[in-house]
Amino acid sequence: MFRTFYLSYLLRNAYKVNTFIYALKSIPGLRKLLPDKLYQSKVLKIFGNIISILLEIINIFLGKFLYLFLMIFCTISLYKTEISTTFLHVFFFLTIIGSFMNTYMFNPTKDKYYAMFIMRMNAKSYTLTDYFYAIFKIIIGFLPFTIVFGLLSNVNLWICLILPFFVVASKIVIASYNLHLYDKKGIIINENQPGKYINLLILLFLILAYALPALNIVVPSYLLLILMILMILISIKRIEYIINFNKYREMYKIVLTASNMNQVENANRMAKENVLKQITIDSNKTSNKKGFAYFNDLFVIRHSKLLWKNSKKVAGISAIIILIAFIIVTINPEFKMSINNMIMTYLPYFVFIMYLINRGENITRAMFMNSDHSMLTYSFFRKPEAILKLFKERLKSVILINLLPAIIIGFGLAILLLATGGTSNPLNYLILIISILAMSIFFSIHHLVIYYLLQPYNLNSETKNTTYTIVNLLTYIVCYYMIDLRLPTLYFGISMIIFAVAYSIISLILVYKFAPKTFKIRI
Amino acid sequence: MKLEVLNLKKKFGEKEVLKNINFTFESGKIYGLLGRNGAGKTTFFNCLNEDILPDEGTFNIVTESSRPLTIDDIGYVLSTPVVPEFLTGREFLKFFLEINEGKIKNEKTIDEYFDFMKIEEEDRDKLLKDYSHGMKNKMQMLINIIASPNILLLDEPLTSLDVVVAEEMKEILRSIKTEHILIFSTHIMDLALSLCDEIIILKDGNLTLVDKNLKGEKLKNKIMEILSEDK
């Protein structure tokens, strides 16, 4: 038993240390400095080992601390119910959820796969040592914090001592029940993709945990305590089942399928299939254009689900929302002031809204996956004039498609402004409309330009460009920050328009200058 | 026409994949490029195709005079066929012919091209995403043949095709070789021997031409000897 434990520890550690070195090497700039021999370096291995032990300690304690602090200790202070009972109440129900969502035993991880299938370790002894080590870690990890936060919440010390055992007991009971389910019916529960019923159950327990105390209802402590002790007693019996279970190897063969484990690759493949599914053919619709215009036209027609249909849907929803606002102010004139005020000062908020409804990023992804990913391997498609011709066609389409909802929103806001009492400066109407349109055009150009300048995908459609990710993240952060900005519509609108025009001109110059070089498949 | 590769060097980190390649390819020949896994065949193709920048080296097209290689000179057929999934076979061909208007020698009608490639009539108006692997491969090859670039790089293009299609493709490659330089990368020695006029081996970052006076088993043994010997 000890040998199995030691071996599995070594294996997991080697895996972690190498992951650490790999991560170190993928930091831009460091890659060139660090040679491949790094994986052999003794010093780095020792360093990696220290890091891995530190991580293990953090892993044992940090999560439990955060969980108890944020999910329980902080939230129960919001309720008016008696604090120690509330603590136990929330703790009890969350623990039940945790035992479903986080069994440990049914979590498909790579180290389990490496140990049992690649290294061919004995599945049963590996699983048992691994599992009981995990259980041990949970107890050690929880104990200090159930004591600290428990005592701070006026819970009896000896109850605090019991709590970690209740956590592992419910995990053991659920895990052994899942094993039983596999043994008798061949059903495997994948905890990372819980089914409909489990999700409902989780939702129910979440409501029990957090909604009941809000209604001043908590389950009495003595009842919870009886249930916890009962759970611990049952679990002692169920440990026997886990130890005697003999089908670990065959069970893990199903749990550890490639699709469960390689979630990143899996997500990638699914994303690819989904984008491919966006292609629809309607034999009535075709194009009379020629060359690149023809190519782009057909792309737009065949991706109507992603493009026009989606844009019409957004436009429709926007129209309905504006109509509802219009009806509200007609029926209830006292809202007029506040809506008028809102339109006059909340324009920055619309940057975020326009960002959200712009489909630029999805459109460029579809462009890559369904078209450029293959076309860029043909030299005729990669000639500078070809790249720029198609860019022009695409720019027109993307702007047009995104402009439809923008027109509705722009004019809708202007009409709403008029209906809520108007403004002293008529220029506001114009600025409102133009700035919304400018935002829409800006985002359309922005997405297409960064796609052409930073073309981030490789042949497997994985994003290979950190700059692209960073630019996208920054765009999001800036737009999100706009939510809190309150500026008079007139000034903000004018600056937005100037910014959008300037950005568009500069970025288009950059594309014409650099895209012929940058627009290719990443190797 | 000749393709001159001069002083081509490419390093990845510490590893010199292409050390110093000097080689002249001639039109009218199919070159079989052999090399062990990781020898750098794809890197060599990627350099020619401007997908990656070499550290050093020049490529020239030599006729009566000499000029640098441009992207127009190259066609690259990959082992996994790549076609724009949202177009039908006919639309892809139409688009291709339109944007290359005036540049294509002896242009034929779309259906004539399909006939030439033995693509069935009922498949011509289907979306390319619904084409089988072999048919996608035929489309890719067809586009490259019509474009008729001076140099055609082929990366294992026949391995995943059924025997009938593979034979058809071989015939087509033989029929176009007179005016082109074809470089055919493969792992299958018999395929290289049956199709190619010259065998070149990429090993330790250098290209070697195998003596073509050798025949049959002797030639095979020589290739094996070069491929498996240590530095």
Side-chain angles (χ1 to χ4, degrees), chain B residues 29-48:
Chain B
K29 284 180 178 172
I30 303 178
Y31 290 84
L33 175 63
L34 294 176
R36 310 216 19 203
N37 291 325
K41 300 187 294 291
T42 309
T43 305
F44 180 58
F45 277 3
N46 282 338
C47 284
L48 283 171

Side-chain angles (χ1 to χ4, degrees), chain A residues 38-191:
Chain A
L38 219 54
Y39 291 99
Q40 296 168 8
S41 148
K42 277 234 169 72
V43 182
L44 209 68
K45 286 267 151 135
I46 294 169
F47 185 59
N49 267 311
I50 294 170
I51 297 270
S52 125
I53 290 169
L54 281 178
L55 283 178
E56 182 85 344
I57 293 171
I58 291 173
N59 174 21
I60 292 176
F61 294 107
L62 185 68
K64 277 73 170 183
F65 164 75
L66 288 176
Y67 165 71
L68 283 174
F69 180 67
L70 296 175
M71 303 273 293
I72 301 179
F73 187 68
C74 288
T75 45
I76 59 170
S77 59
L78 302 172
Y79 300 119
K80 292 191 195 83
T81 42
E82 200 273 314
I83 182 159
S84 70
T85 322
T86 322
F87 183 91
L88 292 179
H89 173 98
V90 178
F91 189 89
F92 180 85
F93 288 109
L94 291 187
T95 301
I96 303 289
I97 294 177
S99 57
F100 279 104
M101 284 178 62
N102 197 357
T103 55
Y104 190 80
M105 187 174 279
F106 287 86
N107 191 12
T109 54
K110 279 191 175 156
D111 49 337
K112 288 180 189 160
Y113 181 78
Y114 292 146
M116 281 184 271
F117 295 106
I118 295 184
M119 299 301 185
R120 305 189 66 83
M121 289 171 76
N122 180 299
K124 182 168 172 175
S125 60
Y126 171 80
T127 307
L128 291 181
T129 47
D130 192 48
Y131 185 66
F132 287 115
Y133 175 57
I135 291 290
F136 171 72
K137 281 196 294 187
I138 294 171
I139 296 174
I140 296 297
F142 263 118
L143 205 50
F145 305 118
T146 51
I147 293 174
V148 171
F149 293 119
L151 290 179
L152 284 175
S153 310
N154 297 332
V155 179
N156 242 323
L157 179 63
W158 70 272
I159 299 181
C160 297
L161 294 176
I162 286 181
L163 291 177
F165 293 93
F166 166 62
V167 174
V168 295
S170 48
K171 283 195 198 302
I172 288 170
V173 171
I174 296 295
S176 75
Y177 174 72
N178 284 353
L179 289 179
H180 174 80
L181 216 60
Y182 173 72
D183 192 27
K184 292 286 173 276
K185 294 189 178 159
I187 298 171
I188 296 267
I189 311 267
N190 181 348
E191 65 177 45

Side-chain angles (χ1 to χ4, degrees), chain A residues 299-316:
Chain A
F299 182 87
V300 173
I301 292 171
R302 301 278 152 81
H303 291 82
S304 67
K305 224 180 356 181
L306 183 74
L307 304 172
W308 276 114
K309 274 188 194 157
N310 182 69
S311 139
K312 283 177 191 159
K313 206 164 72 188
V314 176

Side-chain angles (χ1 to χ4, degrees), chain A residues 415-464:
Chain A
I415 293 170
L416 213 54
L417 184 63
L418 187 70
T420 55
T423 155
S424 51
N425 188 351
L427 201 57
N428 271 322
Y429 295 111
L430 200 64
I431 295 295
L432 203 55
I433 295 169
I434 296 178
S435 66
I436 293 279
L437 298 186
M439 285 177 207
S440 164
I441 294 173
F442 159 71
F443 283 120
S444 301
I445 293 180
H446 174 67
H447 285 299
L448 200 63
V449 162
I450 59 169
Y451 172 55
Y452 267 76
L453 287 181
L454 301 170
Q455 201 306 95
Y457 305 105
N458 68 3
L459 211 51
N460 295 324
S461 305
E462 296 154 339
T463 309
K464 277 281 167 191

